[in-house]
Amino acid sequence: MLLASFSLISLSNSAEAATTDKDIEIDLLADDEDDDKDKEDSSKGDDATKEEDDDKDDASKDDDATKEDDDEDDDSERGEREVSKEITESTITGPDGTEIKSLFELNEDVAEELEDAEESDATLEEVLKDKDDVTSYYAETYMMINAFDGSSDKAADNDLVGLTAEINEEGDNFQVYSGQYDESIQKVQPYAYADEDTLLVQENGTWNDYTGQAPADEVYYGSYSNVYDAFMESEEVIDVLEDDDNYYLINVGQEDVLHETFGTLYQVEFTNADPESQNNAVVAIVDKETNEIDKLSYLSNAKGLTSGQELYIEIAAEFDDYGEYDDGVTEVKEGDTIDIETSRNSTNDSSLDASSAGDSEGETIKGEDAEINALEEDNQGLAAALEEAEDTDVGLEEVLKDKEEIVSYYAETDALVKVIPNDDSLTGEENSLTLTAEVMEQADTGELEVYTEQTINDGEAVPVVYANDEVYYHFENGKWTDESDEGDVESVYNGTYSKMYDTFMDNEDLITVKQDDDNYYLYNISNDMKVHDTFGQIFGAEFTNADESKQVNGIIAIVNKDSKELDQVAYISNAPAKGEEANIHIEMALKYEDYGEFDDGVTVPDEIYE
């Protein structure tokens, strides 16, 4: 599961995702077609039109038995489900001919369904059943993420997550029983139960009380009501097509409103991507007889600021069994226990590249109310330095050189995201990134010039961007590309001195100051989420599906006493994953040096002027 992300120069997203590499098939849920007249004769009767003869009645009984068997098969299928991460290319084409590529097998049939669809005169309101008329249903949402780094046609990262839900949202109430897909064992495991008064989460086979930490409608975002609202808010860009059986609500293109509605609904977020390159598409298949949604697909892709990077995010959602849970969904009680099957290989569902294992190494940095582990090599020694330093009453203005006095410097950021299983026998996973920058900035005039290089997972350093207030060049496919019309110099390097200075000054009430003979230490290590919301957001550090009530955040800065310039900044955040036997660790180690070295300008690649 993609439980954490950071953004220096890489594409990132806040979507949940799971990883394993399996060659497995997909068996899509079939939709049940109910006939209201048949329900008078059988609660789960045959969908064929009944004829009034005894032979047909006998056949209907047989059909009823078959239907019950089918329902049992559906329930079993939902519990054990093989969903493939193997890339399957298809093309979804909008009414105007605009195309978007799909890589998810669960969306492959959408392109086929659209082939025979024709333009319809029906309006969105005529086609789609009002959310107030929908009481209960079964729903499932699967999301697949494919990240490409440009080195090959094969995805560098390939992630999958799935959620299922029994939902009753009649009136003002919202009741949900949700399952989460465990790809490693190809099964849906119980995940959460919620209503207006209760939130229970299944952890290690026990239902634990999380009441008050989230409303019921946040357990499963893709409810019918939310999807209905998203379509109505996007109505101006939605086209309606139809064939004999279905309506198709569709838009393919670069409409911002799709990302603002459906992208927000499913928490699809791109960081440090080129917004001009983002493509979005939504397709809903609506049954003509019932006007209910059967299937929904949402696709979004974008290029990164780094050469060759592309990220594809796809949603495949289904709705079924409308009215099935009018009397309520499956209910559980706090303390109830169930048998949970664990992974054959690992309980770790991170999307990060596996490279390390076992307990976390490093050292423990202690604050007044909390402590946190530092894993990055450059952050070792901070614990001892803070422990030996003495308290001081000096204010930040006296400690830290004003940003307007800083002209240029060299900066380096090492970023680490690591998943650490609680079980020592299981393999942990991590991803690391180093970004270096030559920076010239004059805060009083707003002038900024930056040259950056990056290293991913201990690879070779490669150029990334040269930019100033007028030009923006991106190194891509071995050459510098002029992207001045769309690039922004402010987004090239997040950890600039001026940004760090402003964040410290704006949050002075959070910061404790210590000193020794050589340095000042500015720090806060606590459960205060304001540390994460301020310093963490500089780097786009973000957890998904983590327990924020147990999240510990730390910010530590070392300031040289003689120069009053920043030497080092560490940002560390750690949280347990909800329902997972692991902790998620995000850590940044920033170094600042060579102040004044680039007062006459940073490195300018000769190629951009050729």
Side-chain angles (χ1 to χ4, degrees):
M1 184 171 298
L2 185 57
L3 299 166
S5 64
F6 59 81
S7 59
L8 292 174
I9 43 70
S10 63
L11 285 170
S12 66
N13 64 83
S14 62
E16 299 171 2
T19 64
T20 54
D21 293 320
K22 297 183 182 297
D23 184 11
I24 47 184
E25 298 177 353
I26 288 180
D27 189 6
L28 291 177
L29 289 175
D31 294 317
D32 297 329
E33 297 178 357
D34 295 328
D35 187 290
D36 293 336
K37 294 181 180 179
D38 294 341
K39 290 182 179 179
E40 297 176 2
D41 300 295
S42 170
S43 60
K44 295 208 179 236
D46 179 35
D47 292 331
T49 303
K50 303 191 76 175
E51 299 178 4
E52 295 185 2
D53 61 73
D54 293 339
D55 291 339
K56 192 64 178 179
D57 285 341
D58 292 337
S60 177
K61 292 177 182 179
D62 293 337
D63 290 333
D64 289 345
T66 303
K67 181 70 164 56
E68 290 174 2
D69 291 340
D70 290 342
D71 290 338
E72 291 177 2
D73 291 342
D74 282 348
D75 291 339
S76 174
E77 182 179 315
R78 291 166 184 168
E80 294 192 38
R81 179 103 190 253
E82 295 183 354
V83 181
S84 176
K85 291 198 312 180
E86 183 177 353
I87 292 177
T88 304
E89 288 195 24
S90 58
T91 301
I92 295 176
T93 305
D96 63 354
T98 304
E99 297 180 344
I100 191 169
K101 183 165 61 176
S102 169
L103 305 180
F104 194 10
E105 191 170 355
L106 284 183
N107 285 329
E108 186 177 21
D109 62 329
V110 175
E112 298 174 2
E113 293 252 16
L114 288 170
E115 288 180 358
D116 297 325
E118 298 178 351
E119 186 176 349
S120 173
D121 294 329
T123 66
L124 192 59
E125 290 82 356
E126 295 171 330
V127 166
L128 194 56
K129 178 178 283 190
D130 192 284
K131 63 181 180 180
D132 293 335
D133 296 329
V134 173
T135 54
S136 69
Y137 49 90
Y138 169 84
E140 61 182 33
T141 299
Y142 284 84
M143 174 185 287
M144 186 156 102
I145 303 171
N146 285 291
F148 298 86
D149 61 12
S151 61
S152 74
D153 293 335
K154 184 178 180 181
D157 201 357
N158 177 243
D159 310 317
L160 174 70
V161 68
L163 289 176
T164 67
E166 301 171 5
I167 296 175
N168 181 309
E169 53 175 332
E170 187 172 8
D172 296 330
N173 299 322
F174 192 94
Q175 184 188 33
V176 57
Y177 174 80
S178 179
Q180 189 170 45
Y181 182 64
D182 186 340
E183 185 193 358
S184 63
I185 58 175
Q186 299 166 13
K187 285 188 176 181
V188 175
Q189 304 273 35
Y191 168 53
Y193 168 84
D195 56 34
E196 58 184 352
D197 301 316
T198 307
L199 173 59
L200 301 176
V201 177
Q202 183 275 126
E203 296 175 302
N204 302 322
T206 302
W207 287 96
N208 295 321
D209 188 8
Y210 280 76
T211 301
Q213 295 198 21
D217 59 3
E218 288 188 7
V219 170
Y220 188 85
Y221 293 106
S223 66
Y224 188 99
S225 294
N226 286 344
V227 169
Y228 179 89
D229 288 341
F231 270 111
M232 291 306 164
E233 291 172 23
S234 309
E235 183 174 9
E236 291 186 2
V237 302
I238 299 297
D239 291 302
V240 180
L241 308 178
E242 66 177 304
D243 58 21
D244 291 340
D245 301 316
N246 301 305
Y247 291 109
Y248 302 89
L249 315 181
I250 183 171
N251 181 281
V252 180
Q254 293 186 306
E255 299 288 351
D256 291 338
V257 68
L258 289 189
H259 181 65
E260 293 164 0
T261 52
F262 293 96
T264 300
L265 169 60
Y266 292 108
Q267 295 191 317
V268 174
E269 179 181 344
F270 295 103
T271 305
N272 274 345
D274 176 7
E276 298 298 323
S277 71
Q278 186 170 341
N279 301 295
N280 308 297
V282 66
V283 182
I285 301 176
V286 179
D287 186 277
K288 268 192 170 182
E289 292 185 3
T290 65
N291 294 114
E292 297 163 342
I293 297 173
D294 283 348
K295 181 178 176 66
L296 181 139
S297 300
Y298 175 72
L299 300 82
S300 190
N301 61 58
K303 293 181 179 179
L305 299 181
T306 304
S307 174
Q309 281 192 335
E310 286 188 277
L311 187 68
Y312 289 78
I313 301 177
E314 295 191 46
I315 304 291
E318 292 189 25
F319 297 83
D320 199 1
D321 291 346
Y322 286 93
E324 181 71 17
Y325 307 101
D326 286 358
D327 293 331
V329 304
T330 300
E331 294 190 27
V332 296
K333 296 180 180 179
E334 181 184 2
D336 285 354
T337 59
I338 55 176
D339 292 330
I340 294 296
E341 183 176 346
T342 57
S343 166
R344 293 185 293 268
N345 300 313
S346 171
T347 60
N348 193 349
D349 286 333
S350 169
S351 71
L352 307 176
D353 297 327
S355 61
S356 62
D359 291 335
S360 61
E361 63 274 19
E363 62 181 26
T364 301
I365 304 174
K366 296 181 179 179
E368 295 180 3
D369 303 315
E371 59 185 40
I372 198 165
N373 225 41
L375 308 183
E376 276 283 357
E377 182 178 354
D378 287 337
N379 289 336
Q380 305 305 300
L382 290 177
L386 278 179
E387 189 172 340
E388 295 172 5
E390 300 177 350
D391 293 334
T392 178
D393 294 331
V394 66
L396 287 189
E397 293 85 355
E398 301 172 69
V399 169
L400 195 56
K401 179 178 283 189
D402 192 288
K403 64 181 181 180
E404 294 187 2
E405 298 179 48
I406 300 295
V407 178
S408 69
Y409 50 90
Y410 171 86
E412 180 175 310
T413 300
D414 291 317
L416 172 71
V417 177
K418 186 169 184 176
V419 177
I420 307 164
N422 295 329
D423 187 338
D424 294 345
S425 66
L426 299 177
T427 301
E429 303 185 9
E430 70 179 52
N431 200 14
S432 63
L433 173 71
T434 298
L435 186 68
T436 64
E438 300 173 9
V439 182
M440 186 180 75
E441 60 175 339
Q442 297 183 18
D444 55 342
T445 63
E447 182 180 349
L448 180 62
E449 184 182 26
V450 186
Y451 170 78
T452 60
E453 294 183 351
Q454 72 164 344
T455 303
I456 299 177
N457 293 331
D458 298 323
E460 294 184 2
V462 295
V464 182
V465 170
Y466 167 79
N468 58 34
D469 297 324
E470 297 179 353
V471 302
Y472 185 105
Y473 281 86
H474 174 209
F475 191 76
E476 184 175 18
N477 299 324
K479 64 179 181 179
W480 290 94
T481 303
D482 187 356
E483 299 181 357
S484 302
D485 292 337
E486 53 218 42
D488 177 14
V489 66
E490 295 284 348
S491 68
V492 174
Y493 187 75
N494 292 333
T496 61
Y497 188 102
S498 59
K499 284 183 183 178
M500 203 61 64
Y501 177 89
D502 287 341
T503 307
F504 272 108
M505 291 304 170
D506 291 344
N507 298 280
E508 186 171 6
D509 59 318
L510 290 175
I511 303 302
T512 298
V513 181
K514 284 190 171 185
Q515 65 176 343
D516 58 21
D517 292 340
D518 301 316
N519 301 304
Y520 291 110
Y521 301 90
L522 321 181
Y523 75 100
N524 182 308
I525 300 167
S526 67
N527 296 96
D528 193 335
M529 286 302 293
K530 191 175 180 183
V531 176
H532 170 73
D533 295 339
T534 52
F535 293 96
Q537 293 311 305
I538 291 177
F539 309 103
E542 183 173 353
F543 291 103
T544 304
N545 203 31
D547 184 355
E548 289 189 359
S549 69
K550 299 178 182 178
Q551 184 171 332
V552 179
N553 308 293
I555 183 72
I556 307 105
I558 301 177
V559 180
N560 185 283
K561 265 192 170 181
D562 292 335
S563 67
K564 296 187 178 180
E565 297 165 341
L566 283 170
D567 278 352
Q568 184 175 341
V569 174
Y571 173 76
I572 310 171
S573 193
N574 188 283
K578 283 187 178 180
E580 301 287 341
E581 298 178 352
N583 283 289
I584 309 99
H585 184 91
I586 298 179
E587 185 169 352
M588 308 288 165
L590 286 78
K591 293 184 292 186
Y592 299 86
E593 55 190 52
D594 294 341
Y595 285 93
E597 180 70 20
F598 308 103
D599 287 2
D600 295 329
V602 304
T603 297
V604 180
D606 293 336
E607 295 90 336
I608 70 174
Y609 292 114
E610 291 179 354

